[in-house]
Amino acid sequence: MAPQITSQADFARTAAKVLKTQAPLRMPARLLRLVLGEQSDLILNVQKVVPKYILEKKFQFQYTNLKQTLQQLLR
């Protein structure tokens, strides 16, 4: 876990680099809504989540960025 905020697109690109593969194809929002209905909102609507409480408590993260985290977890 790392405190950095990242988008779904950045996560997919970073994971693809770490896994040495191509990032998944983009899916049009309209098609996603058709397939998933209301659940598509979980993917399409931006939510920025910040671990405010643990940052205030000076929690020391083991990894400081997404790439480092994925490299370690996907070994």
Side-chain angles (χ1 to χ4, degrees):
M1 183 159 116
Q4 134 188 36
I5 295 173
T6 188
S7 68
Q8 182 69 22
D10 288 339
F11 182 88
R13 278 192 296 273
T14 304
K17 285 179 187 175
V18 170
L19 294 170
K20 297 180 176 136
T21 187
Q22 290 184 328
L25 297 175
R26 296 183 71 167
M27 182 180 285
R30 180 175 267 169
L31 179 59
L32 198 58
R33 284 189 181 99
L34 180 65
V35 173
L36 296 177
E38 288 183 20
Q39 290 182 340
S40 65
D41 289 342
L42 296 172
I43 298 169
L44 298 172
N45 293 340
V46 176
Q47 294 182 8
K48 291 185 180 180
V49 179
V50 178
K52 182 180 174 184
Y53 177 79
I54 60 176
L55 288 174
E56 288 173 353
K57 298 296 180 190
K58 307 293 185 209
F59 179 82
Q60 294 296 311
F61 287 88
Q62 183 174 358
Y63 307 107
T64 58
N65 64 55
L66 178 61
K67 184 175 180 182
Q68 180 187 18
T69 303
L70 290 175
Q71 286 172 332
Q72 183 66 31
L73 294 174
L74 298 175
R75 269 192 203 176

